Amino acid sequence: TISCWIRPNALPVNNEFSIVSQDVNVGQRAWGLGIDNAAATNFLRFLYTTNGSTVSGAEYAITILVNTWYHVAIVRSSTNLYFFLDGTQVTGSPFNIATDSIFDSTDELRVGDDPLAGGAWNGWIDDLSMFTFKCSVVVAYGWCRCLNNFHG
């Protein structure tokens, strides 16, 4: 599970703004979470590799505005990745990750920067949390909804 609050100062235009990643060197790419933009649509995107090079992943359309706080969470439960925005599962989610294991990279963790994706975050990132233990979708959803009650 990856969870954080984001508040963009600007939204990407035909590129990606990285929220958090372990994706610095080719051959050591592991994963990245960000906001992508294509054809004036914003997407919550999670990309990963199983071998350090070949990228897989998913993105789902979201509506976000500048200067507004949002809670973002990505939860892996069994063979699925669930995407949440402000405690609500994003339409189209989950993504079937099957039995893929995300590459165990030696690259450093980057918050707000991903040299390979090419887009530094423009805004605030707060309360970034990452959990490696299993967390059911029901628990994660409840946790996101609870956090959303403190929003605003």
Side-chain angles (χ1 to χ4, degrees):
T1 300
I2 302 169
S3 169
C4 66
W5 288 91
I6 60 169
R7 183 179 186 260
N9 282 337
L11 295 172
V13 178
N14 295 320
N15 68 350
E16 177 181 349
F17 283 177
S18 178
I19 298 170
V20 60
S21 70
Q22 191 178 15
D23 185 24
V24 179
N25 298 297
V26 174
Q28 283 295 314
R29 300 179 85 170
W31 57 272
L33 171 63
I35 303 295
D36 186 36
N37 178 283
T41 300
N42 292 301
F43 297 91
L44 181 59
R45 171 188 272 183
F46 182 81
L47 300 177
Y48 70 96
T49 74
T50 59
N51 61 10
S53 299
T54 307
V55 177
S56 300
E59 62 182 19
Y60 297 99
I62 58 172
T63 300
I64 59 174
L65 304 170
V66 298
N67 301 317
T68 303
W69 283 101
Y70 298 94
H71 184 261
V72 173
I74 306 293
V75 177
R76 182 173 186 167
S77 180
S78 185
T79 59
N80 290 310
L81 284 177
Y82 294 85
F83 292 61
F84 293 93
L85 181 67
D86 281 342
T88 301
Q89 188 174 330
V90 175
T91 302
S93 165
F95 169 71
N96 186 342
I97 195 169
T99 58
D100 285 354
S101 293
I102 296 173
F103 184 70
D104 187 14
S105 176
T106 57
D107 273 351
E108 66 264 14
L109 182 70
R110 296 273 183 119
V111 178
D113 180 41
D114 184 341
L116 294 180
W121 182 257
N122 183 350
W124 288 270
I125 300 170
D126 196 19
D127 293 334
L128 174 65
S129 302
M130 292 184 279
F131 305 95
T132 57
F133 57 85
K134 281 190 173 184
C135 181
S136 74
V137 172
V138 172
V139 169
Y141 176 77
W143 185 64
C144 292
R145 295 292 291 179
C146 178
L147 287 173
N148 193 37
N149 288 337
F150 295 102
H151 184 264

